[in-house]
Amino acid sequence: MKPSKTAENRETKSRRDPFEWVRQKAAEAVVQAEQEAAETPRQMFLPGFDIGAFPNHLNRSSLIAPIARGRRKFHRQAAMVTRKDCVLEYTGEQLDEADGDLIMALIAFAQPFPVGASVPLNRAELLRKLERGTGKQQYEWLHRRIKALTEATLFLEAKKPDGSTRYSIGKTVSFRIVMGFSYDDEGETYSYSLDPRWVQMFGNREYSLIDWDKRMQIGRGQDMAKTLQRLVATSADSVQWYALDWLKAKMEYVSPMRKFRKALDAACNELERLDVITAHKIEDSTKGKPQLSLWMPPSV
């Protein structure tokens, strides 16, 4: 196959300019490294973990949000709400807290296998872990959401305090939340695989352990409480503060602020009931901006 004119021009330029040649080779090495990372299964060890582990950068973002029924929009290379130490771009259906539960369960079920290998899936066991029941509707929901997670892709760049890049995932090779799944109609058997780069997102203990029992006790229609539970788990601080405008954007909440404050208060009451937090207060910060203040239970 004859090389393209662009490739020829690049090759000619690199012969003339040694610095261009070095830059070109460095770019090729980055692509090659990410390709290998995306294709090489890796073992992930999460100490003291059964189910409920999730990377902090994702817990602090709007990737998963307590969206209202019928409000599931489609993102196309959208910049999601994150903290300053992370850039997250996402393409796919907006994910809700049920999707978050499913992703955490899929990660847990894959623990005995190298991440990237095919994982046999007992759908009934998975649905029971999610406390969803095992009727036809729930199997259909599971099939639909795993398919959506397979189609969803993201780019994540973690930054150092000086703003430089610590690592990036999905820049040159697409990162899929679920790398692939297969279903045998006759045998009714399921299997799936996760992208090996999940291991990098969990690296350096940059993940939270969510109390799964308490999560499953959060009342129906209280997805905002689930979002807050994931958020507060990312910090060990005994008191945590979050700006209301940032929380509203992170939760993809489109109704007016007065309604958001009311919903937020209800979510905090639910977390107090389960002793995820001990108290909360919506007040002005020292800069006069409304914020949510949360007090955590004493660490054991």
Side-chain angles (χ1 to χ4, degrees):
M1 183 177 173
K2 189 178 178 181
S4 68
K5 203 74 176 172
T6 307
E8 286 178 354
N9 291 343
R10 194 184 300 120
E11 187 64 30
T12 303
K13 184 178 178 184
S14 67
R15 287 198 197 101
R16 290 199 309 263
D17 183 353
F19 295 106
E20 178 62 26
W21 183 86
V22 169
R23 281 193 293 269
Q24 185 181 324
K25 291 301 176 185
E28 289 171 1
V30 168
V31 174
Q32 181 65 26
E34 185 156 19
Q35 188 75 50
E36 288 177 6
E39 293 174 352
T40 308
R42 299 168 62 188
Q43 193 67 50
M44 180 162 64
F45 298 102
L46 300 175
F49 157 73
D50 173 29
I51 184 171
F54 209 53
N56 285 339
H57 285 310
L58 301 187
N59 278 333
R60 293 171 180 142
S61 77
S62 60
L63 177 69
I64 297 165
I67 54 172
R69 185 180 291 273
R71 294 284 181 90
R72 195 190 290 277
K73 61 186 176 183
F74 190 90
H75 297 285
R76 193 173 300 280
Q77 294 182 332
M80 308 305 281
V81 176
T82 60
R83 293 198 325 181
K84 291 179 181 177
D85 61 352
C86 175
V87 173
L88 180 62
E89 293 178 1
Y90 174 67
T91 296
E93 292 181 358
Q94 172 64 55
L95 304 179
D96 61 18
E97 287 296 332
D99 294 317
D101 291 346
L102 174 57
I103 296 167
M104 285 187 271
L106 290 174
I107 290 170
F109 275 55
Q111 276 296 288
F113 305 86
V115 182
S118 180
V119 179
L121 180 62
N122 182 323
R123 293 178 299 157
E125 184 184 352
L126 175 65
L127 287 168
R128 281 193 290 268
K129 201 74 174 174
L130 299 172
E131 298 196 0
R132 294 192 67 97
T134 54
K136 182 184 176 185
Q137 274 190 326
Q138 298 305 325
Y139 282 116
E140 289 173 349
W141 170 85
L142 179 61
H143 185 86
R144 190 168 62 248
R145 297 321 301 157
I146 289 185
K147 186 178 178 184
L149 294 176
T150 306
E151 294 167 350
T153 61
L154 60 83
F155 161 71
L156 185 146
E157 182 181 22
K159 293 183 172 293
K160 297 177 183 177
D162 64 2
S164 60
T165 301
R166 286 180 56 223
Y167 66 83
S168 68
I169 291 172
K171 186 173 185 179
T172 58
V173 181
S174 294
F175 177 94
R176 297 188 181 277
I177 295 175
V178 173
M179 192 164 66
F181 81 103
S182 62
Y183 175 57
D184 175 9
D185 276 319
E186 283 189 19
E188 292 191 348
T189 55
Y190 244 86
S191 63
Y192 69 96
S193 58
L194 298 175
D195 193 301
R197 288 168 291 177
W198 274 108
V199 176
Q200 192 171 9
M201 275 196 274
F202 277 90
N204 297 319
R205 296 194 65 83
E206 291 185 349
Y207 61 89
S208 314
L209 293 176
I210 314 298
D211 188 317
W212 193 257
D213 289 337
K214 289 183 179 180
R215 188 169 181 83
M216 292 297 103
Q217 292 176 55
I218 293 174
R220 285 179 66 87
Q222 285 281 12
D223 276 4
M224 191 176 286
K226 284 190 168 186
T227 299
L228 283 175
Q229 184 202 24
R230 289 189 299 106
L231 179 60
V232 300
T234 64
S235 171
D237 294 344
S238 57
V239 185
Q240 299 181 25
W241 298 274
Y242 300 99
L244 253 58
D245 55 355
W246 181 82
L247 277 176
K248 188 172 183 287
K250 170 190 158 40
M251 294 184 183
E252 296 279 338
Y253 197 90
V254 295
S255 295
M257 180 60 83
R258 58 181 175 77
K259 289 190 175 180
F260 177 66
R261 292 170 74 118
K262 187 176 179 181
L264 198 58
D265 188 56
C268 290
N269 288 335
E270 181 69 359
L271 293 184
E272 285 178 26
R273 180 181 74 83
L274 295 169
D275 200 33
V276 175
I277 62 174
T278 57
H280 74 280
K281 189 177 183 181
I282 296 175
E283 57 188 351
D284 283 347
S285 69
T286 52
K287 295 181 179 177
K289 300 286 186 182
Q291 68 179 14
L292 175 65
S293 303
L294 300 170
W295 284 263
M296 303 297 113
S299 52
V300 230

